[in-house]
Amino acid sequence: MAQWVWGAAALAGLSTVSIPSLASAQTSLQVVYPPNDHQTTAAQIFFIGTGAPGQPVLLNGEAIENRSEAGHFAPSRPLAPGPNTFTLTQGDQTLSITVTRVASGPTLPTTLGFAEGSLLPGVDIAHQPGDWVCLGAVAPANATVTAALAGQTYTLLPQGDRADLPPNSAVLTDQTSPIATAGPSRYESCFMAEEPGNLGQPVYRLTQGGSTVMDAAPGSVSILDPNAIEVVEVTAAAGVARTGPSTDYSRLTPLPQGTRARVTAREGDWLRLDYGGWIRASETVAVAGSGLPRSLIRGVTSRQVPGWTEILFPLQVPVPVDVQQGTDTLTLTLHNTVPQTDTIYVTDDGLIDRFDWNPVLPDQVQYRINLKPDQQWGYKLRYEGTTLVLSLRQPPSIQENQPLSGTTILIDPGHGGDEPGSRGPDGTPEKAPNLNVALLLKAALEARGATVIMTRTDDSTVAVNDRPAQINQVEPTLALSIHYNALPDSGDALNTAGIGAFWFHTQAHSLAQFLHDYLVSELDRPSYGVFWNNLALTRPHVAPSVLLELGFMINPTEFEWIVDPQQQARLAETLAEGVEMWVRQAVEK
């Protein structure tokens, strides 16, 4: 969560001021978050700031309780819909902040009409005959809503029994319960079109209280010719496939460069491929004159290269794939593929215990790789021509007296440069303790024999996508991203603290859980928890990759622990111990 300093104290040159001097020198009243004129959909807001520790700070005339020894505070206050004005005072210092609570969903115009941006489709769409096509609008309750499309009139029904869902971030504040629908009504009607053609833009009609308004949807509806074969090839190094046509939908296994598939639907700049996944058109190129991208598969073989076992799947055309990891299994699914397999050879590499496969009719094949170790260390997928190469990483070779010798560990100090991250009550940016602890951790790991690669070693800006790209390039033994935490506006900043760990691929779960438990136990810190999370720094699968949130910048008391140099040194040393212990145990499994 980005936080900005706003208050009586100026914080010019913040990134060049050492943490200890900043934490001890700021005594004038200031509020770091929220900024003035902040807007939020939350029902409450927290105030992150600081003041002289010897004097009370009043918030709307009421003394703020539970301040830290240094005078930091983080109270939460409820918000009424619309503007809310808060006044903070300490002695002769006064700050006034306005926070506006806005509606969480679509809002209606002041006169009869549809909510802005609610008419579907919002972009041009094209679907196969037999696909459901849904028309929708947000309008006042108890209205009559119809849509005219290609000579047909559809009556849209209110969806009052459909609950809303909170955002994914609600998991972080334990507020995941479905939300009863309130405010304007959502109206919907779905149909199946059987004949190809351009149906045009739906024109919506809204009637209530004797008044009627009409408006057209931004997007048009087309039905594709099922006999027309449109094939695309993935041009991105790893095409981002999703469960639906926007970044709101979950990710699927990335599609290796060269993958070919038939397009079965379009929504804006998104393509639905024949195996069900969606991908941006910009990550593909059309293949002119291509037939259906279907393949047979026969024999499967393997080979060893330094540090990896490669399994080769010869195909007639590069097909979409899916990978699922278990603790000691990896399952590869080939789509649009029919097996004619009689013989498979997998080398005795000490890694693979058994290689099983089975057809999934009508046109999939699943390969289940049973592994000897319980811990997986990374995998890669690529096409060499039309042969799919699945690379499985061998465990690292370690020495008894120095378990990290022979390992390469990538450390990513979060944020940096013009990305401050979250801020503590005195304005300290998260990027500073991230880097301090990362540099201390680097030294502690190198003392244990590890080779350490850093994404940054100073206060420089590193683009978020460049960090996982470096993991994929370096191919470390494991990767750790170092962060400190904040919360959405609906959170409780005063009473939320502790160590958090985040993982995405199964191979990283054990590492995340172990490091979380070890830090909580050895440092006697609270536990925030271990989360599966789709983050840029947890998604790389070439190595176990974990993101650590080592405490909450916005918690007044925990912040003082975060910026304490002695505690930073202790944290880094304990984290290095945890990494060493985990590597030793994982290799021995």
Side-chain angles (χ1 to χ4, degrees):
M1 176 188 297
Q3 297 175 337
W4 307 102
V5 176
W6 183 88
L11 294 176
L14 184 63
S15 62
T16 62
V17 179
S18 67
I19 289 177
S21 63
L22 196 78
S24 60
Q26 296 291 343
T27 57
S28 57
L29 178 64
Q30 66 171 334
V31 173
V32 172
Y33 189 86
N36 192 29
D37 296 327
H38 179 61
Q39 293 189 345
T40 181
T41 60
Q44 66 179 38
I45 191 72
F46 47 69
F47 294 85
I48 310 301
T50 193
Q55 287 182 291
V57 176
L58 305 183
L59 176 56
N60 284 355
E62 180 181 347
I64 296 177
E65 299 180 348
N66 300 312
R67 294 171 64 197
S68 71
E69 291 184 5
H72 307 321
F73 53 78
S76 291
R77 293 293 185 268
L79 294 173
N84 297 257
T85 299
F86 299 91
T87 301
L88 294 96
T89 58
Q90 185 177 51
D92 59 358
Q93 300 177 83
T94 299
L95 302 175
S96 183
I97 299 175
T98 298
V99 179
T100 301
R101 180 181 173 186
V102 297
S104 59
T107 57
L108 295 174
T110 54
T111 59
L112 183 67
F114 297 102
E116 184 178 359
S118 70
L119 299 184
L120 299 181
V123 295
D124 292 343
I125 65 172
H127 280 267
Q128 293 285 323
D131 283 353
W132 285 106
V133 176
C134 290
L135 307 177
V138 174
N142 303 313
T144 299
V145 179
T146 62
L149 179 65
Q152 298 288 325
T153 299
Y154 300 90
T155 299
L156 280 67
L157 300 178
Q159 306 296 302
D161 58 348
R162 182 184 300 176
D164 289 330
L165 294 177
N168 277 293
S169 60
V171 173
L172 305 176
T173 54
D174 195 21
Q175 298 169 331
T176 58
S177 297
I179 304 166
T181 302
S185 294
R186 298 179 184 272
Y187 295 81
E188 185 178 89
S189 179
C190 299
F191 67 93
M192 286 185 181
E194 299 298 335
E195 296 298 325
N198 183 4
L199 306 186
Q201 292 173 274
V203 176
Y204 288 84
R205 180 184 180 96
L206 165 62
T207 301
Q208 187 179 54
S211 298
T212 298
V213 296
M214 299 176 67
D215 200 357
S220 63
V221 178
S222 296
I223 304 302
L224 298 172
D225 182 354
N227 297 312
I229 298 175
E230 180 186 2
V231 174
V232 294
E233 180 176 308
V234 175
T235 55
V240 179
R242 294 184 179 272
T243 57
S246 81
T247 56
D248 291 336
Y249 289 90
S250 299
R251 288 179 178 243
L252 303 170
T253 298
L255 298 177
Q257 188 175 44
T259 299
R260 290 190 178 188
R262 182 190 178 203
V263 176
T264 61
R266 292 178 175 268
E267 293 204 9
D269 62 346
W270 289 84
L271 309 177
R272 187 182 68 191
L273 305 183
D274 51 14
Y275 81 109
W278 291 79
I279 190 171
R280 285 190 186 274
S282 58
E283 295 192 47
T284 69
V285 64
V287 181
S290 175
L292 284 174
R294 296 289 189 266
S295 180
L296 299 174
I297 186 166
R298 293 173 181 160
V300 177
T301 60
S302 71
R303 65 191 179 200
Q304 286 187 271
V305 298
W308 298 82
T309 294
E310 295 186 338
I311 305 175
L312 284 69
F313 301 85
L315 298 162
Q316 296 171 302
V317 63
V319 299
V321 301
D322 180 72
V323 170
Q324 297 293 326
Q325 279 188 321
T327 300
D328 57 356
T329 61
L330 186 144
T331 301
L332 170 71
T333 300
L334 303 180
H335 297 276
N336 303 334
T337 303
V338 177
Q340 292 183 344
T341 301
D342 284 334
T343 307
I344 294 176
Y345 174 74
V346 177
T347 182
D348 184 9
D349 59 355
L351 179 64
I352 299 175
D353 181 39
R354 194 177 69 252
F355 188 99
D356 299 328
W357 77 276
N358 62 279
V360 181
L361 298 177
D363 59 356
Q364 295 180 23
V365 191
Q366 282 190 346
Y367 298 92
R368 181 183 176 92
I369 303 168
N370 302 278
L371 302 167
K372 293 180 180 179
D374 288 338
Q375 176 60 45
Q376 298 184 52
W377 294 89
Y379 73 88
K380 298 184 292 185
L381 282 170
R382 72 180 188 276
Y383 275 109
E384 291 184 352
T386 61
T387 295
L388 179 68
V389 181
L390 169 63
S391 302
L392 304 177
R393 190 171 202 155
Q394 293 282 345
S397 299
I398 63 174
Q399 299 177 11
E400 181 63 30
N401 59 343
Q402 206 171 32
L404 297 184
S405 178
T407 66
T408 298
I409 299 175
L410 184 140
I411 301 176
D412 168 51
H415 306 288
D418 59 11
E419 292 186 3
S422 59
R423 291 190 185 270
D426 65 0
T428 298
E430 177 200 344
K431 64 180 182 177
N434 288 349
L435 181 59
N436 286 356
V437 170
L439 291 172
L440 292 167
L441 176 61
K442 175 179 184 292
L445 292 171
E446 288 176 337
R448 290 166 168 80
T451 297
V452 177
I453 305 295
M454 303 281 287
T455 58
R456 67 180 180 99
T457 57
D458 55 19
D459 186 24
S460 56
T461 301
V462 182
V464 65
N465 290 331
D466 290 344
R467 300 169 190 254
Q470 188 172 357
I471 295 175
N472 290 327
Q473 178 185 13
V474 171
E475 298 183 357
T477 309
L478 55 91
L480 301 174
S481 187
I482 304 299
H483 285 257
Y484 288 91
N485 220 339
L487 287 171
D489 287 348
S490 60
D492 184 353
L494 183 63
N495 296 303
T496 305
I499 305 291
F502 297 79
W503 61 279
F504 184 71
H505 296 287
T506 302
Q507 64 189 12
H509 173 259
S510 170
L511 176 62
Q513 188 72 57
F514 185 91
L515 293 181
H516 166 271
D517 294 350
Y518 193 76
L519 293 176
V520 168
S521 173
E522 295 300 310
L523 298 176
D524 193 26
R525 300 303 303 167
S527 165
Y528 180 54
V530 178
F531 299 79
W532 180 93
N533 207 336
N534 173 19
L535 301 171
L537 271 299
T538 60
R539 284 196 295 267
H541 51 73
V542 72
S545 301
V546 167
L547 186 144
L548 296 172
E549 297 278 8
L550 298 170
F552 279 81
M553 295 288 290
I554 59 176
N555 180 288
T557 302
E558 188 160 58
F559 172 72
E560 295 182 13
W561 174 81
I562 289 171
V563 297
D564 185 326
Q566 292 183 334
Q567 295 299 334
Q568 290 179 353
R570 184 182 175 210
L571 168 61
E573 184 66 24
T574 305
L575 182 52
E577 289 174 2
V579 170
E580 179 180 5
M581 291 179 63
W582 181 83
V583 169
R584 184 194 300 273
Q585 294 177 14
V587 170
E588 292 175 351
K589 284 184 178 180

